[in-house]
Amino acid sequence: MDIKGATAVVTGANRGLGRHLAEQLVQRGAKVYAAARRPETVDLAGVTPLRIDVTDDATIQEAARVASDATLLINNAGISLGTPLIAGDMKAVRAEMDTNYYGPLALTRAFAPVIEGNGGGAVLNILSVIAWWHPAEAGSYAASKAAAWAMSDAVREELAPRGITVSALHVGFMDTDMTANRPTADKADPAHIAAQALDGIEAGNPEILADDVTRQVKQGLSQAHALR
């Protein structure tokens, strides 16, 4: 799809990758609803702040009503709590699944008829290399992103006849608040990742592999599957 002239809804647009996505969408000629749980924290020029709590269906339904001209949904909002699946707090496990899987699914369900009614468009889900690589110390986050990867694939097939493409961005560490506790990690520039994501949407790519680590892990996954 063409970004210029599109109307985008970006969740988690008040900081990090979401803020870069919203900013670059405006620069490319899109109308942007910059969504956050607290819309007063959105400080970008040229966007319309929009309240969305991805764990609150009432805010999702209201957002779909307000952003009735949407043609692009970017499911960016997410959390990472560093929760192992056995030793971790089940409340944290549920919170990660609610935010990283059920939230994007609920948003896609709410906005699919809106996008279809506006002539079609696209959905982008912000995922992670950890959808394919599952360290025990972040088992809950990995499970939620793996679920979101499967959801992206299934929804892509389901929405294609309705004129809606579905892309999934996979990326490793980015220099955002979420990785502030890993000061020595090799982190990608979120502005660069945002540009790749928008290029991928315009190209209609089903998967966007944003860095070398992600490409290596995906290649290894493919090789392991071939050896079975």
Side-chain angles (χ1 to χ4, degrees), residues 7 14-15 32 35 73 84-85 97 132-135 141 151 164 200 211:
T7 299
N14 56 328
R15 61 180 182 169
V32 178
L73 170 66
L85 286 168
M97 191 63 74
W132 306 320
W133 168 56
H134 309 139
Y141 182 69
M151 181 266 288
I164 303 172
D211 55 24

Side-chain angles (χ1 to χ4, degrees), residues 81-82 88 96 144 201:
L81 302 177
E96 288 189 310
S144 70
I201 292 170

Side-chain angles (χ1 to χ4, degrees), residues 78-222:
I79 58 171
S80 176
L81 302 177
T83 307
L85 286 168
I86 302 303
D89 184 346
M90 276 301 294
K91 289 183 179 179
V93 174
R94 290 191 177 97
E96 288 189 310
M97 191 63 74
D98 283 345
T99 303
N100 299 337
Y101 170 67
Y102 287 115
L105 176 57
L107 277 150
T108 303
R109 288 167 62 100
F111 275 95
V114 174
I115 295 171
E116 181 183 18
N118 290 322
V123 175
L124 172 67
N125 293 324
I126 306 300
L127 304 185
S128 170
V129 67
I130 212 167
W132 306 320
W133 168 56
H134 309 139
E137 67 273 15
S140 176
Y141 182 69
S144 70
K145 288 299 186 179
W149 176 40
M151 181 266 288
S152 299
D153 287 347
V155 168
R156 180 181 303 118
E157 181 179 341
E158 189 173 356
L159 291 183
R162 298 168 64 176
I164 303 172
T165 63
V166 178
S167 300
L169 172 76
H170 295 266
V171 61
F173 290 124
M174 286 184 288
D175 191 11
T176 65
D177 292 348
M178 188 177 285
T179 63
N181 63 339
R182 294 180 176 267
T184 62
D186 186 13
K187 302 177 186 181
D189 179 353
H192 178 60
I193 301 302
Q196 288 191 70
L198 299 184
D199 289 345
I201 292 170
E202 289 200 305
N205 294 336
E207 286 191 338
I208 304 161
L209 309 184
D211 55 24
D212 289 339
V213 170
T214 301
R215 286 185 281 270
Q216 290 166 6
V217 171
K218 181 62 185 293
Q219 184 178 16
L221 187 71
S222 300

